[in-house]
Amino acid sequence: MFQRWQYLLEKWHLLALLLLPLYYAYSTTADNLRSVVLLYGLYSIIVVASLCRLPLASPPAKITGWAWLEQFLFLALLLTLLGLFYLPQAPFSSFAAQVLWLNTQLAFAGLLLKHYWAVKTRQASAKTVNTAPHWLVGYASQSGVAQQLAQHNAAQLQQAGFAVTLAELNQINQLQLNSFQRALFVVSTYGDGEPPDNANQFYQLAQQWQHSLHQLQFAVLALGDSRYQQFCAFGRWLHTWLQQRDAKPLHPLLELDTAKQQAPVMTQWQQLLTGFTKTQAPQMQPIWQQARLESRYIANPASKGLPCFIVKLQLPRGSQWQAGDIVDIQPENSKCNVALWLTQHQINGCQAVQYKSQHMPLCWALAELQLDNVLPPPEGVPVERWLAQQPTLPLRSYSIASLPEEGPAVLLVRQVKKPDDTLGIGSGWLTAWSIEQQLIQVRLREHTPFHLPPDDIPLILIASGTGIAGLRALLAQRVKRGQRQNWLIFGERHPDSDFFFAKDIRHWQQQGFIPQCDLAFSQAHANKYYVQHALAAKREQVKQWLASGAAIYVCGSLQGMGSAVHQVLTNIMGDAALSRLQQQGRYRRDLY
């Protein structure tokens, strides 16, 4: 309103500056002519300063109806009051001199007001520059890796002065997505090309959205494991879906194989960020540690299944983790495989080389490489340069079954056998090729999606096979907190040979920390009886626990147990109710 008045008064001041000299030129009245001339000069200076030295008042937006009547009636009332009660106080007798006296004061007040508006405008512009554009950093993560990367990227943008919204994809709706101009998405792929749990709802709803996202510029970092056929499938879908809705990519899709330690993809992603932050921020480097293999022993010696080992790793002093967290292992080849490769290519494995900033024999460096895909160095190429270009063995991840205060990090590792009857890389390294007291390269990884809830709510814990390792840590933490509402459903082959951590579980049962424990041993029944059957048999009890606020944690194999348990829960609750449970953080899965 005041800006509208100022705009009109500026027009009036220009008209008055033209008319007043004409009036005095033809007027015979000489009332304090010298004072009038000085006042006119001051009036002219103020008006010129208002119009030239500061930005001109912008034409007001057109108003109609009652708003127009209200504003102009109020202005007319104000001018009438000034004319009746303030104008007669002027030190001049003629009406023209009185108007000049009043106009000078109005012009000066307008000059101050415009100066105030100019200062406010500059402050608002500076604030807009400092905080714009507002970035969205969205993530979809099952194991926590994509979430940690997204958090790191969001922190980089914030340090550069940008406003950032960090959110999992399930928290983003169509209206929110339309409000952003720039976005980064860090998303992993789960199972057979599926979205992670915290992106499943977004995936289902987004396929129904038809609105254009032409205002959005985006980049997608897709995480996956290249051993699987549907590598980075969800990231590819998201990138294509955004382009189909007219969003503009800031960079072609980047695909990161998380099983590899060194990936040029991360360098490209960091360069993309640096282009916006204008600062060379360090990449998020994983913290690798040397853990000592304290002991290992077979946990199911009489089992008809593949051997499972309890592996205890003594981590460096001060290492911390939570129940639900994961340890990544850098496997190594067996000495026999390294020796065989060296013999086949007639290379001296004792020659000294520099690898990963350390001096060591060549045979030690070869232990970390994918020897099936490694050819000997070409003639004339330095061995160090050749080593740096070779693919390393993929990482292997395991749930930690213990708490820091219990001592070593305890793993439950089942041996994996390939079609040629040789051991898998990860299980072979931990259960056969390494020796006790040997140093193992490990990396602790926070697994936020599988952490315990902060409050004491009932928990339904479901696991099969080595999946009990992750639940054993959760139960130990619940016992430490004194939280007794725990229902365990566990399945394996036979109770006499495959009941992992049986001593702990029975002890906690006796103490009242596991008031309900349902066991499903498939070979102890005439008909095959699995975890999903035990769950389905307690349909009504599941409903009661969920009605009392219980959360469900599932750990184990995705194929078979994981999908079967999910189907039973869907039958019990329905798709919509199970989706709501996921949104509330009351249905959490650690499946592999």
Side-chain angles (χ1 to χ4, degrees), residues 24-25 27 29-40 92 100:
Y24 279 100
S27 174
T29 304
D31 181 17
N32 296 329
L33 184 59
R34 183 178 178 182
S35 298
V36 169
V37 171
L38 291 175
L39 187 60
Y40 181 84
F92 303 98
L100 176 61

Side-chain angles (χ1 to χ4, degrees), residues 90-108:
F92 303 98
S93 57
S94 69
F95 179 73
Q98 291 176 346
V99 170
L100 176 61
W101 176 75
L102 179 60
N103 280 356
T104 303
Q105 297 179 64
L106 290 174
F108 183 71

Side-chain angles (χ1 to χ4, degrees), residues 165-369:
T165 295
L166 175 69
E168 63 180 38
L169 291 193
N170 277 351
Q171 296 175 336
I172 302 172
N173 57 40
Q174 184 175 0
L175 183 62
Q176 291 172 323
L177 202 54
N178 278 307
S179 67
F180 290 98
Q181 282 74 47
R182 286 181 180 172
L184 299 178
F185 297 98
V186 185
V187 299
S188 62
T189 296
Y190 181 56
D192 189 21
E194 302 168 9
D197 287 343
N198 59 7
N200 190 52
Q201 182 181 10
F202 173 88
Y203 174 71
Q204 295 175 3
L205 295 176
Q207 297 179 74
Q208 304 171 16
W209 298 344
Q210 300 299 327
H211 285 38
S212 173
L213 296 173
H214 62 275
Q215 90 292 343
L216 183 66
Q217 295 177 300
F218 73 95
V220 175
L221 176 62
L223 278 60
D225 189 332
S226 58
R227 294 175 298 164
Y228 294 92
Q229 184 176 2
Q230 299 294 333
F231 175 60
C232 291
F234 179 63
R236 294 172 181 174
W237 171 86
L238 178 62
H239 192 273
T240 301
W241 179 83
L242 288 166
Q243 285 187 302
Q244 289 174 345
R245 276 144 189 83
D246 305 320
K248 304 170 185 64
L250 295 165
H251 194 281
L253 173 67
L254 291 174
E255 299 178 351
L256 174 64
D257 188 349
T258 55
K260 297 180 180 179
Q261 279 199 52
Q262 300 173 344
V265 171
M266 283 306 302
T267 302
Q268 297 179 49
W269 183 255
Q270 188 58 49
Q271 290 173 347
L272 173 65
L273 279 173
T274 302
F276 296 107
T277 62
K278 307 304 180 185
T279 56
Q280 187 65 45
Q283 293 187 27
M284 187 179 72
Q285 296 293 339
I287 301 176
W288 285 93
Q289 301 173 305
Q290 298 287 338
R292 191 172 301 278
L293 178 56
E294 182 175 286
S295 65
R296 66 170 174 235
Y297 59 87
I298 189 168
N300 58 344
S303 176
K304 295 180 180 180
L306 290 169
C308 288
F309 285 77
I310 295 290
V311 178
K312 296 185 178 182
L313 299 177
Q314 187 62 55
L315 297 172
R317 186 184 301 273
S319 298
Q320 292 295 319
W321 67 88
Q322 295 186 50
D325 283 347
I326 290 172
V327 61
D328 293 328
I329 303 291
Q330 174 58 68
E332 294 186 14
N333 294 295
S334 68
K335 292 181 180 179
C336 292
N337 286 341
V338 174
L340 179 61
W341 188 92
L342 289 169
T343 302
Q344 288 176 339
H345 297 287
Q346 299 182 353
I347 295 176
N348 177 17
C350 295
Q351 60 179 302
V353 298
Q354 186 170 5
Y355 181 64
K356 294 185 176 179
S357 303
Q358 295 182 356
H359 291 282
M360 62 182 70
L362 175 60
C363 59
W364 290 14
L366 292 174
E368 293 187 10
L369 302 184

